[in-house]
Amino acid sequence: MAGVLALSYSILLLSVKFISSDAGQVNNEGSNFINTIGGVVDCNTRVGREEKIAMDIAVQDVYSSTGHNLTTHIQDLSGKSDRAASSAFHLSQNRKLLAIVGSLTWQQAALVSEMNGKANEVPVISLITAISPIMPEEKLPVISMYQDISFEMNCISSIISYFKWTKVIAIYEDRSSYSNDLGIITLLSNSLRVSGVELEHYSVFPALSFLTDQDTTIQRELNILRSKQSRVFVLLQSSLTLTTLLFEKAMEMGMMGKGYVWITADGITSLLDSMDSSVVTSMQGVIGFKTYYSVTTAPFRKFEVKFRRKFRAEYPEEDSSRTSVFALRAYDAIQTIAKSAKMLQEKNYSKTLIQHILSSDFDGLSGRIQFKNYKLSEVPVFQIVNIVGKSYRELGFWSSKFGFTNSLVKHNSEENNSISAEEVLGPVYWPDGRTLVPRGLAEIGTGEERRTPLRIAVPATSMFKQFVKVSHDENQNVTLITGFSINVFEAVVKCLQYPLIYDMVPFHGSYEDMVTAVSEKIYDAAVGDVVITTNRHQLIEFSQPYVQSGLVTVVVMKSDKSHQSLISQSSRLLLLPWFFLILVVTSTYTANLTSMLQAPPSTPSAIDITLLRSTDAVIGYDGNSFTLWYLEKVLSFKAENIRRIASIDDFEKSLSSGLIRAAFLFSPHAKILVAKYCKGLTMTGPTYNLSGFGFVFPRGSPLALNISEAIIYLTQNGELQKLEEETLSFPKCSTSTSDATGSQSIGPGPFSILFKIAFGGSTIALLVAVFRLLGKRWREVTLILSMLMDRGLWMWLAALFTQKKNNYELELSMESSNPARRINST
């Protein structure tokens, strides 16, 4: 601070000499009683004019109510705000003043007090909201006629958080040549960061008095803003002249239309009642907030009548004579000085004027006048408004005490605290005239900020062409890119609230290289059957998965010879009693049988993977780096037993020939393989649920969020499922595939006891009948047996039995090498 003050000392001395020609207007007052208040305003501005009129009315009201004859000596800056400090210093050096009130920043006011020194200590009241954080110094008699600027920053942050915008751009006009106003940027950035919002960029407009070509400067700055991602612009600080030029140029450049959001802070919004209708028309859809003050009290109504009459008389060129909070603060500042001076003269000489001012406690026109840390201590209430037509709609109120509310009377009650912001604010009409909340991000690929379409990479060598197929039409000399992934992306783009211009570029390389190219922003995105993995996520951003996937096993499906058709009529006749038995049993135990039929069929368990590992079986995969990593690191297969398969047809050949025992693929790919070769391949074993397929974007890309929201929308309304059925289904193989992938006939196991009982009873009955027959025909039986033994029949039966036994053992050996066949034969 001392460095700034010292640097400015020589400048001020030169300024005093420069304006010394005005000294003839200044007359020294008697030293016995000081009754003059110095004023520094810029009567070239609407705010300065309102402040001047309000000060004059305040002096008149003081005399009318107390008889205290005060006068004001006002220095007009005439459009040169940089002269505010030098003008105030000049006033204090050439007149005996009670205090100085005016359009000085806190830094300028502090500079004046520092230059005056203790010998000529004059309180300085600043009417301009402090942009930089105020650091009160008791040695400087500087008072701020406003609340802490952080309240405004928190209000902005609350509005942005409510509408769920993620990035904003701040704009302000640099008003002072003695200091910069970057303090407000720091405050805003900190407040936004708490809400998880990024301040993408800030733009500083020089004071218009320093510009030789205002139109060109404003257009250049707006072009810079239009090149950014954020479409949410917060106008923190601006003169009415710059505000007018800014919005007119923004409208001319198409920045007051669809997708754009403009928020004006208190300093601009509070002037809406004072603006010409033509200016308000150029601000359609702007949302802003202004300091709330009561307009129903008797003192305000009396002041408003006087203000309008006097303002119209002195500034007939102004269209509106309505007052604003700036006039009320100027009025309250004069009243504060007058009350403090009266107390100093009549009651308490032990305190200085500055101490009496800081002890003020009364209701002013702008609110409660109490000071803490050299600024107003009352927590402000801001009124949220939406500019529509030639005026504005009142949406509600916000305060750091109670947040959003639609009632100031009950804002402290628990009932009102439960009201959501949506219920308070209601619909907002945005610059495009609609109530649909803009996304607040650039319409990527559109607009003048980016004439080049997005470059979207697609894998040119995808193994599964149903997802992405790149072909070239020789007749038309065009590259055709089709597939399920492409269809999904096109459907998603149609759901966006803005048009997306893009070119799909075939990428000849691995999927890993394609992801790396996107992370390096060689491409703006990648579309294809890209697996979402943690390692990739560290480089880029994925969209929401548009198809779920897991790692599955594909094996050869062999025919099961254990099922015989009943051809012989004798066999059918023999089984007829058994079927009758089953019918009786199922009729009796319907509930038990139903539960058995509804039980899910058994699936191969992890023991299948264990068998493949333990036998060093060769397995195949499609070259996906993540699949290879998962097979080696998670499923513990040896690297020498993992073979990369080049194409979908090679999978079938390798499985059928026994070159590989099993193939590991992501489920969407496996379904395509099994569907194509539904007569010979089937999926088996457990599914290792991993992630899914997603679209790829560079980190920080706003398109990733928009695409993800559209994918969720298409998932919920069934469009993605419909696209999958249309693109990836194979109707001709659906039945066979279904049978191959898991349908199993119910074996005799559940009925084994019943069959044993029936078999045992039948056997006993048969033996009894045989023994009875043998008892009656024993002589004939012994004769037949003796004849057979003579012919060697017994030896033939022994040889036949031995051959059957050997065949049965061979069959058991083959079944042990094929688990699926063993289950079916059982």
Side-chain angles (χ1 to χ4, degrees), residues 430-485:
W430 302 103
D432 61 357
R434 301 191 300 172
T435 58
L436 183 65
V437 179
R439 294 184 178 272
L441 295 173
E443 299 179 1
I444 300 178
T446 67
E448 298 178 13
E449 77 283 355
R450 181 165 189 166
R451 298 180 184 275
T452 304
L454 292 179
R455 298 181 72 245
I456 298 181
V458 294
T461 58
S462 175
M463 179 183 298
F464 298 91
K465 307 300 181 184
Q466 290 82 357
F467 280 90
V468 178
K469 181 180 180 181
V470 178
S471 58
H472 187 75
D473 190 334
E474 297 292 345
N475 296 330
Q476 300 182 9
N477 193 27
V478 294
T479 300
L480 303 178
I481 302 177
T482 58
F484 175 64
S485 299

Side-chain angles (χ1 to χ4, degrees), residues 482-503:
T482 58
F484 175 64
S485 299
I486 308 302
N487 295 343
V488 171
F489 185 78
E490 292 175 348
V492 165
V493 168
K494 293 179 181 179
C495 294
L496 299 178
Q497 295 184 358
Y498 50 85
L500 191 70
I501 302 176
Y502 60 90
D503 289 333

Side-chain angles (χ1 to χ4, degrees), residues 37 87 143 175 182 269 306 362 471 563 746 823:
I37 299 175
S87 297
I143 301 174
R175 300 179 296 195
L182 287 179
T269 312
K306 296 176 183 178
F362 66 95
S471 58
H563 298 285
I746 299 179
I823 293 174

Side-chain angles (χ1 to χ4, degrees), residues 125-153:
I125 297 182
S126 171
L127 298 178
I128 297 181
T129 303
I131 298 303
S132 300
I134 297 176
M135 301 298 293
E137 297 187 41
E138 294 185 2
K139 65 178 182 179
L140 297 178
V142 179
I143 301 174
S144 302
M145 203 67 185
Y146 43 77
Q147 293 88 353
D148 198 311
I149 189 64
S150 61
F151 290 117
E152 288 191 41
M153 301 303 104

